[in-house]
Amino acid sequence: MDLSAITKHSALHAKPSGLLLQYGTAGFRMKAEHLDHIMFRMGLLAVLRSKQTKSTIGVMVTASHNPEEDNGVKLVDPLGEMLAPSWEEHATYLANAEEEDMQRVLIDISEKEAVDLQQDAFVVIGRDTRPSSEKFSQSVIDGVTVLGGQVHDYGLLTTPQLHYMVCCRNTSGQYGMATIEGYYQKLSRAFVELTKQASCSGDEYRSLKIDCANGIGALKLKEMEHYFSQGLSVQLFNDGTKGKLNHLCGADFVKSHQKPPQGMEIKFNERCCSFDGDADRIVYYYCDADGHFHLIDGDKIATLISSFLKELLLEIGENLNVGVVQTAYANGSSTRYLEEVMKVPVYCTKTGVKHLHHKAQEFDIGVYFEANGHGTALFSKAVEDKINQLTRELEDKKGKAAKILRNIIDLFNQVADRKVISTTDAERQAVTPPGLQEAINDLVKKYRLSRAFVRPSGTEDVIRVYAEADSQESADSLAHEVSLAVFDLAGGIGERPQPGF
Ligand code: 16G
Ligand code: MG
């Protein structure tokens, strides 16, 4: 370690004094103007992690669904997974070190993790389309190079693409080629293969309207489009040429407002979907003949995928261990449908992909989705080959998906933002402040089919309130009552929460 070079370069990315940040649900996130030192320091940390694991490590510069003015950074571990929890602590420790302590903190982390400093290091970088992202990836590169690491900067990438590149590089190409073509080829082939036998109602070609949240998804879909030219025709909206990133559009907007994004008209029976700012979330939607909007969010996607897989397994008489993983935000009726009708075991984890992913790995087939549209199906290796063969034998499943969706009538819910709290039981129970959980329990008892919880956001400085009940009025009213309890018991400041927030 060239300690004097580190000190010199660190001063060029100086930490604003007194600023304390934490590696949150998915890395560091906040207003871009406070993040330059974090970027440099995450470059340093990525080198240490790379040396320790003797693998390529990824660094993604993005703040996902947050407003355009924010930014963020997260590290990607060797198999394309989220950074290990013990290293999240190192990330926070390094992020908060004062300038004069930088050398000591780096040595400390290296010693604690037995990092061989002579080992080579390789770091790959990707970034979203935010105005601040390009400069920030330069700061990451500065951090990597000052510690002697090598860099490959992929430039503009979606978050899933960066995860893919890291995994490819650490599995000697077995997972795929670590290039953008490799990614498009792998995904488009799988898509064409999967959909070959499935019939498609309505139009002759599969067509899809895609809201790209004015983000990176638009650029990458434009590149990818011709890879599945016969299989799918896409129409892109909010492609970043006019609007602001995530503003009145994108998966988060559509999910929380339960309406189409600005800039996209939906006609009866058209298939539509929305990404978020870094294209790692997706929600689908359509309008029925009466013009009513229907959202197929993460809960419903998980139900469709797991029902589909269960059926395949039944057809061939395979008894594999299938599980669905959700978070406390999953609509109660989707959980009941999965458990009672589909007979699939459902597990609840804390919010954040890393928690769901980890749990899903315990099954032969683990399907995980957050209600907001983050998720996937994980197959153990032996199962993967079997499923590939099975999908080739697929019969016409026309109409099945629609039937399943009709069976899950969402309970109504309401979400709002407020201040400070701690939780347990996959964030479903408040531990502090004292008395809050009891107050919530009493409120919930007043409504039918109801549920409510509060948790501190891992990406913004707010408390989120979730409430669910058998009518929109009850859900709104329960959410309001719970937020009043939060305000009173957790030392709310300013105006008391108003109904409807
Ligand atoms: C991050 C998480 C997402 C989670 C969201 C919750 C990843 C890749 N992203 O975007 O899974 O749903 O945070 O935000 O893990 P909140 O803590 O502000 O409610
Ligand atoms: Mg995202």
Side-chain angles (χ1 to χ4, degrees):
M1 251 193 251
D2 181 348
L3 294 175
S4 65
I6 294 167
T7 306
K8 201 172 112 209
H9 281 253
S10 187
L12 300 174
H13 304 276
K15 176 171 107 64
S17 72
L19 181 63
L20 296 181
L21 297 176
Q22 204 181 357
Y23 198 95
T25 312
F28 294 97
R29 248 183 236 185
M30 68 160 353
K31 290 267 161 287
E33 67 241 39
H34 303 306
L35 280 172
D36 186 53
H37 67 296
I38 297 286
M39 300 293 163
F40 172 75
R41 293 171 184 209
M42 288 309 102
L44 298 174
L45 194 74
V47 171
L48 296 187
R49 181 68 172 152
S50 172
K51 285 176 188 279
Q52 187 216 28
T53 57
K54 302 185 176 44
S55 306
T56 296
I57 293 295
V59 179
M60 183 72 198
V61 177
T62 180
S64 182
H65 64 280
N66 287 41
E68 188 168 288
E69 299 72 32
D70 289 6
N71 215 324
V73 59
K74 54 189 166 192
L75 265 58
V76 177
D77 254 0
L79 291 178
E81 290 166 318
M82 301 292 182
L83 184 65
S86 57
W87 279 76
E88 288 188 2
E89 282 175 31
H90 301 327
T92 302
Y93 180 36
L94 184 60
N96 295 327
E98 296 305 328
E99 287 304 321
E100 61 274 19
D101 297 329
M102 284 293 285
Q103 298 185 359
R104 187 178 53 78
V105 169
L106 285 169
I107 292 169
D108 232 27
I109 297 171
S110 308
E111 282 175 358
K112 233 181 246 157
E113 294 291 345
V115 174
D116 172 4
L117 293 169
Q118 302 312 313
Q119 180 69 36
D120 288 341
F122 199 87
V123 177
V124 291
I125 301 178
R127 67 177 141 91
D128 71 13
T129 54
R130 281 162 211 272
S132 57
S133 292
E134 187 169 0
K135 178 178 149 279
F136 281 161
S137 51
Q138 285 307 317
S139 305
V140 175
I141 292 172
D142 206 9
V144 175
T145 33
V146 79
L147 264 190
Q150 286 192 58
V151 185
H152 180 85
D153 181 9
Y154 279 100
L156 292 163
L157 281 189
T158 69
T159 292
Q161 286 175 333
L162 182 75
H163 285 263
Y164 166 88
M165 300 303 176
V166 174
C167 182
C168 290
R169 283 179 180 264
N170 290 315
T171 51
S172 326
Q174 270 179 45
Y175 191 70
M177 275 191 307
T179 60
I180 200 81
E181 282 88 44
Y183 179 87
Y184 294 144
Q185 274 165 9
K186 181 173 166 115
L187 263 84
S188 57
R189 264 194 217 129
F191 176 80
V192 170
E193 199 57 42
L194 182 70
T195 50
K196 226 185 244 162
Q197 283 89 353
S199 75
C200 189
S201 59
D203 45 7
E204 199 176 322
Y205 295 103
R206 288 183 181 83
S207 60
L208 183 63
K209 286 184 157 180
I210 307 179
D211 156 31
C212 299
N214 289 319
I216 182 72
L219 303 182
K220 297 297 153 180
L221 264 178
K222 277 179 196 157
E223 292 172 8
M224 190 175 184
E225 217 174 326
H226 69 271
Y227 284 82
F228 35 52
S229 53
Q230 303 119 5
L232 179 70
S233 105
V234 295
Q235 239 184 306
L236 307 188
F237 297 83
N238 300 319
D239 66 354
T241 46
K242 291 192 295 282
K244 246 181 135 177
L245 182 70
N246 296 324
H247 183 60
L248 304 176
C249 62
D252 205 48
F253 174 86
V254 173
K255 166 76 182 149
S256 48
H257 293 81
Q258 301 275 322
K259 64 177 188 193
Q262 214 171 53
M264 186 202 269
E265 284 228 344
I266 313 184
K267 294 199 207 83
F268 168 53
N269 249 355
E270 283 179 334
R271 299 178 191 84
C272 310
C273 68
S274 288
F275 289 145
D276 68 340
D278 59 341
D280 68 346
R281 288 188 195 190
I282 193 164
V283 294
Y284 296 87
Y285 41 94
Y286 62 92
C287 273
D288 62 23
D290 300 326
H292 291 131
F293 176 80
H294 295 268
L295 181 68
I296 306 175
D297 61 5
D299 299 342
K300 289 183 178 154
I301 299 173
T303 312
L304 288 177
I305 296 181
S306 54
S307 309
F308 172 75
L309 291 168
K310 255 215 117 166
E311 220 167 87
L312 282 183
L313 295 174
L314 219 71
E315 268 173 36
I316 52 150
E318 277 287 348
N319 191 14
L320 294 171
N321 181 7
V322 182
V324 174
V325 189
Q326 302 184 317
T327 70
Y329 285 106
N331 199 276
S333 80
S334 75
T335 314
R336 264 193 293 281
Y337 182 83
L338 282 164
E339 283 178 334
E340 291 166 17
V341 181
M342 295 311 303
K343 309 278 181 227
V344 183
V346 181
Y347 299 83
C348 183
T349 68
K350 289 207 267 186
T351 297
V353 170
K354 60 193 175 197
H355 301 295
L356 292 107
H357 188 91
H358 189 70
K359 184 71 193 170
Q361 284 174 320
E362 292 175 14
F363 306 95
D364 294 329
I365 301 179
V367 178
Y368 71 83
F369 267 90
E370 292 188 306
N372 63 23
H374 280 117
T376 192
L378 285 183
F379 301 97
S380 63
K381 185 69 193 115
V383 175
E384 204 169 89
D385 299 338
K386 214 171 277 170
I387 293 285
N388 282 341
Q389 182 205 334
L390 272 175
T391 48
R392 279 183 220 116
E393 294 159 15
L394 258 188
E395 285 174 27
D396 181 0
K397 300 256 185 280
K398 191 164 140 190
K400 286 237 169 91
K403 254 183 246 153
I404 290 173
L405 289 177
R406 273 202 294 276
N407 280 325
I408 315 170
I409 309 295
D410 275 345
L411 292 170
F412 297 86
N413 64 50
Q414 184 53 270
V415 188
D417 296 338
R418 292 292 175 261
K419 312 252 165 338
V420 199
I421 272 154
S422 75
T423 63
T424 182
D425 184 23
E427 303 174 319
R428 289 174 293 191
Q429 302 279 324
V431 179
T432 57
L436 178 60
Q437 189 54 48
E438 291 71 17
I440 295 175
N441 294 347
D442 289 344
L443 293 170
V444 164
K445 278 191 210 127
K446 292 166 48 183
Y447 300 87
R448 263 176 48 79
L449 290 174
S450 63
R451 205 164 65 82
F453 65 89
V454 296
R455 57 175 280 279
S457 158
T459 62
E460 293 171 72
D461 188 19
V462 294
I463 280 287
R464 300 205 193 279
V465 175
Y466 179 94
E468 184 177 285
D470 66 342
S471 73
Q472 188 66 58
E473 293 71 39
S474 300
D476 290 348
S477 155
L478 176 57
H480 180 230
E481 291 201 82
V482 171
S483 58
L484 285 176
V486 171
F487 187 87
D488 293 340
L489 294 166
I493 43 171
E495 240 180 77
R496 283 169 69 77
Q498 298 299 309
F501 315 106

